[in-house]
Amino acid sequence: MEGSVYLHNTSVMCLPYPRFLVERPDATARPADKMAEMQIDPDLAKRLFFEGATVVILNMPEGTEFGIDYNTWHVGPRFRGVKMIPPGIHFFHYSSVNRCNTKETGPRTGFFLSLHQRDLRVLHWNSSNEEVDLTPASEEDIEIMRSNLQEMDKFLGPYPYESLKKWISLTNFISEPVMKKLQPESGQICAFSEVLPVLAGKHTKDRAEQNLPRYDTECKSYAEGLARLPKMKLKAGTEIRFTEMPKQMYPDGATPEEITRHSMDLSYALETVINKQCSSQPQDVLAELQFAFICFLIGNVYDAFEHWKKLLNVLCRSENAIGKHRVLYTNLISVLYHQLNEIPADFFVDIVSQDNFLTSTLQVFFSYACSTTVDRTLRKKAEKFKAHLTKKFKWDFETEPDDCAPVVVELPEGLLLD
C-alpha cells in the first residue's frame, strides 16, 4: 500500500501500518523506517488477525494524541481504530490537541477495556466534551460494523505486539472484576480531577448569602485571598475507586502495648484492607497496586501514585503478614521488579529532604523477608531482588532503618497508661 509503514513484516503476511498513525511523540519513539523492521511470529500474526479484538473509534480528530497500553501516536485523517488486539485488559488513552497549535495538548484521559476473543467495540468521539463516548453501541450497530470490517480494515492500525510482553508484566493480576470495581463510574480516568464548588458562588447574591465579599473587592492579605477561594469537591462518578486505607492501624479497645506493636507492624491494617476489598482473593491487593501504577505511569494521575505509595507502605511493613501470605509476597517481588524497571532511580527522592521513599520502605521489607524465619523460597527471592536493586540503582539497604528508632504513637483519647 503506497505511503504505508510496515509494522509487522513476516513471511506469511505483510501488515501495513497506514499513515493515519505516525511515530510516537515521546522520546522512546522508533523512526518510521525502523518500524518496518519489526517482526512477529507468523503463526501468531495469523491468529491475532482472525482471533484478536477490534476497537473502532469514529470521528476522532486528526492530530489527537492517542494510545493503547504502552504505545502512543498522533492520529491521522484515516484513523478509525485498532485491530488484532490480544484478549485481556487494555488501557486506551488520548489527549486533545490545539488545532491552531498542534504542539499544545490537553490533559491525558484514558479508560480500561476488558476485551475477549474476536471482540468488537464501537466507540465515538464526542466533539462537545472532547472525549471518547464510552456509551456501548447497540447490538444492531455492532453487527452492522462487523459485517463491514473487511472494508474498514484498511483504516485500522494493528496492535503493536512488540510491547505486549511488557504490558502483561505490568498488568497480569488485573482481572475484569477488579478493573470494574476500581475504575470510576464514568469509566474515564482523567489526569486532572474534575471538581465542582461545594456551594454555589457564581452570582453576587450567592456570595452575599455565604457572607463572602464581592469578587472585585480587593484582598488585604494572601491568607484572605486563599480564604475567598471556593471549596471544591470531586465531581461524582469521576474518582478512581481505590480501597480506602485504614486511618486506625490497631483494633478498637487495643492496649497501649498493642497500639505500639500495630504501629510498627502494619499487618492488622493490611488484613483490614484484604478483608474489606479482597477477602476471597488476597492477590487482588497486587491487582490494585498494578492498577494504580498504570494510572500514574501512563494515565498521569498523581493521586494514583500517592495511593500506590500508601498501599506499598502497608505491604512492606507487615511483618506477620509476610509469614501468613507467602504467595502474595512472592508475587509482590515480581510485581515490583517489573514496575521499577519503568522508573528512573532518583524518581522517589523527596526534593526537600533528599529521602528516598522506596529505599526506606523496601529496607524494612527486606529486614523482614530476608529473615531466617521466613519461608526459604520467599527469602531467596527477596535476597535476589535486594541484590538486583543494589546493583542497578546503587541503593543502600544496609544502613540501620529509621524504624529501629523509638516510635511515638498517639493513644486514643481517654486511654491512660498504668
Side-chain angles (χ1 to χ4, degrees):
M1 187 170 93
E2 185 180 355
S4 296
V5 175
Y6 290 96
L7 177 62
H8 302 308
N9 188 358
T10 73
S11 58
V12 173
M13 62 174 62
C14 207
L15 300 173
Y17 206 84
R19 281 187 295 195
F20 51 74
L21 291 182
V22 298
E23 304 100 294
R24 274 172 266 184
D26 54 82
T28 61
R30 291 184 177 89
D33 57 346
K34 293 296 183 184
M35 295 175 72
E37 299 174 8
M38 297 178 195
Q39 293 197 344
I40 181 175
D41 177 76
D43 293 333
L44 177 60
K46 273 178 110 173
R47 190 162 67 250
L48 286 176
F49 187 78
F50 294 107
E51 304 295 331
T54 301
V55 174
V56 175
I57 305 178
L58 301 174
N59 304 320
M60 181 171 278
E62 181 179 354
T64 301
E65 190 177 296
F66 169 80
I68 176 173
D69 301 341
Y70 224 73
N71 308 274
T72 308
W73 308 271
H74 283 126
V75 167
R78 304 177 63 189
F79 173 76
R80 298 292 184 275
V82 184
K83 63 183 177 180
M84 297 174 62
I85 306 173
I89 302 295
H90 295 280
F91 185 62
F92 295 79
H93 44 93
Y94 56 90
S95 299
S96 298
V97 177
N98 187 332
R99 294 183 180 180
C100 299
N101 183 359
T102 56
K103 293 183 178 180
E104 293 183 3
T105 59
R108 178 166 288 183
T109 301
F111 54 92
F112 284 90
L113 289 180
S114 177
L115 301 175
H116 305 282
Q117 193 176 38
R118 299 185 184 182
D119 210 347
L120 173 61
R121 304 292 179 91
V122 181
L123 306 173
H124 297 78
W125 179 261
N126 185 320
S127 56
S128 299
N129 298 334
E130 291 192 320
E131 66 180 23
V132 176
D133 188 345
L134 300 181
T135 304
S138 66
E139 289 296 326
E140 181 181 359
D141 288 343
I142 290 177
E143 288 309 312
I144 292 174
M145 182 64 68
R146 192 180 296 278
S147 65
N148 293 325
L149 270 183
Q150 189 170 355
E151 296 178 12
M152 179 71 73
D153 185 75
K154 60 186 177 182
F155 301 106
L156 302 173
Y159 181 90
Y161 179 78
E162 76 278 1
S163 64
L164 179 61
K165 185 176 180 180
K166 176 184 288 187
W167 175 250
I168 291 176
S169 72
L170 294 173
T171 59
N172 59 318
F173 285 99
I174 304 177
S175 62
E176 184 173 355
V178 170
M179 179 202 78
K180 290 181 176 179
K181 181 170 64 176
L182 293 176
Q183 68 183 358
E185 293 178 5
S186 67
Q188 303 277 9
I189 296 174
C190 304
F192 293 100
S193 302
E194 294 186 61
V195 293
L196 297 171
V198 175
L199 299 172
K202 184 176 181 180
H203 303 289
T204 302
K205 64 180 183 65
D206 297 326
R207 299 182 64 80
E209 291 172 358
Q210 300 170 40
N211 295 319
L212 295 173
R214 291 171 54 91
Y215 278 116
D216 54 2
T217 305
E218 183 179 355
C219 292
K220 296 180 181 178
S221 66
Y222 178 72
E224 182 183 342
L226 289 178
R228 287 194 198 178
L229 293 175
K231 294 182 179 180
M232 310 298 287
K233 62 180 179 180
L234 287 173
K235 182 180 178 180
T238 63
E239 67 273 17
I240 302 175
R241 293 174 289 181
F242 288 129
T243 302
E244 185 177 354
M245 304 305 291
K247 295 180 175 62
Q248 181 173 299
M249 300 297 182
Y250 50 85
D252 292 333
T255 65
E257 180 185 357
E258 291 171 335
I259 293 173
T260 300
R261 186 173 72 254
H262 289 303
S263 298
M264 296 178 67
D265 178 356
L266 303 185
S267 296
Y268 173 80
L270 177 61
E271 294 294 343
T272 301
V273 171
I274 291 175
N275 293 333
K276 183 177 181 180
Q277 285 293 98
C278 30
S279 55
S280 60
Q281 184 54 268
Q283 304 297 315
D284 284 353
V285 173
L286 301 182
E288 185 162 338
L289 195 71
Q290 288 184 328
F291 190 95
F293 188 80
I294 291 298
C295 288
F296 167 68
L297 182 70
I298 302 178
N300 300 339
V301 181
Y302 182 75
D303 287 346
F305 176 57
E306 288 298 311
H307 183 75
W308 181 86
K309 290 199 300 183
K310 291 177 183 176
L311 191 55
L312 183 61
N313 182 65
V314 171
L315 281 164
C316 289
R317 297 177 185 271
S318 299
E319 183 175 10
N320 288 337
I322 291 176
K324 179 180 179 181
H325 299 287
R326 178 182 59 81
V327 176
L328 172 67
Y329 278 92
T330 300
N331 289 328
L332 171 64
I333 293 174
S334 298
V335 168
L336 289 176
Y337 172 82
H338 292 293
Q339 290 182 344
L340 298 188
N341 280 338
E342 307 305 315
I343 293 182
D346 60 351
F347 180 82
F348 298 96
V349 177
D350 184 278
I351 297 175
V352 178
S353 67
Q354 291 299 302
D355 288 336
N356 186 320
F357 154 79
L358 197 57
T359 54
S360 59
T361 302
L362 288 177
Q363 187 173 35
V364 176
F365 171 67
F366 288 136
S367 69
Y368 297 153
C370 296
S371 169
T372 55
T373 60
V374 172
D375 172 79
R376 184 177 182 275
T377 302
L378 174 58
R379 183 174 74 251
K380 292 296 182 182
K381 189 167 186 176
E383 290 172 347
K384 188 176 180 180
F385 184 45
K386 177 181 176 182
H388 164 75
L389 294 178
T390 301
K391 181 179 180 180
K392 182 173 182 177
F393 297 121
K394 304 296 187 290
W395 288 345
D396 176 21
F397 296 111
E398 301 306 325
T399 304
E400 185 176 87
D402 293 337
D403 297 66
C404 292
V407 177
V408 178
V409 298
E410 294 185 8
L411 299 179
E413 188 176 352
L415 184 61
L416 301 175
L417 293 172
D418 293 335

